[in-house]
Amino acid sequence: MSTRRRRLQLNVNGAVHTVEVQTRKTLADTLRDDLGLTGTHLGCEHGVCGACTVLVDGRPVRSCLLLAVQVEGARVETVESLGGPTSLHLLQEAFSAHHALQCGFCTPGILMSAVAFLRDHPEPTPQQVREMLAGHLCRCTGYLSIVDAILAAARALSTARQQP
Ligand code: FES
Ligand code: FES
C-alpha cells in the first residue's frame, strides 16, 4: 500500500490550509484529522449513507469517496461554514424548530445536501425534498421531521430574500 505523502493547499470554508497527507487519505479523514473539522461525520465509509457529504465547488459529494489530493484547487464547504451556536443558518434553525435533529449523526451531511438543493430548488415540493433525501440514511428513521424542516427552511430563505 502506498505511503507517499504530498503537501497540499486546500480551500475549505473560504480559508486556504496547507496540509501534508498520504496520497491515499480521503477528504473526510483530512477534514477531520488535519483540519479539526469534525462536523463532517463518517458512517459507512463506502458511499452509501451520505453522512460525510460536503460541497465541492458547490456540489454535494461523498467525502469518504474522494481523496484529499483530488480537491486541490477546488472550493470545499463543510457544515462548519453554515453557522455557529450564536448565528445559526436558517436551515439549522428550521431543523431545531421542527425536531429534525434527532440523534444528529446524519444531520451535517443532510444540511450540506439541502443547502445545495435549496440553491437550485428555492420552492421545492415535498416530493423533490424526499428524492433529494434518498441519498441519506438516517438510522433514527425520522424522515418526516427532516422533510418538514427543509420545506420550512425554503420558505424562510424565500422570505429573507424578499427583505430589503
Ligand atoms: S461515510 Fe461517506 S457515504 Fe457513508
Ligand atoms: S438523526 Fe439519527 S441518524 Fe439521522
Side-chain angles (χ1 to χ4, degrees), residues 101-104 106 138-140:
L101 292 160
Q102 303 162 129
C103 84
C106 67
C138 170
R139 283 167 285 188
C140 305

Side-chain angles (χ1 to χ4, degrees), residues 44-83:
C44 66
E45 299 192 58
H46 61 271
V48 175
C49 73
C52 66
T53 302
V54 300
L55 305 187
V56 171
D57 287 336
R59 309 312 308 169
V61 299
R62 313 289 215 207
S63 61
C64 70
L65 294 184
L66 270 182
L67 301 176
V69 293
Q70 291 177 280
V71 301
E72 197 171 32
R75 194 167 44 87
V76 179
E77 294 167 77
T78 70
V79 71
E80 285 87 352
S81 69
L82 294 188

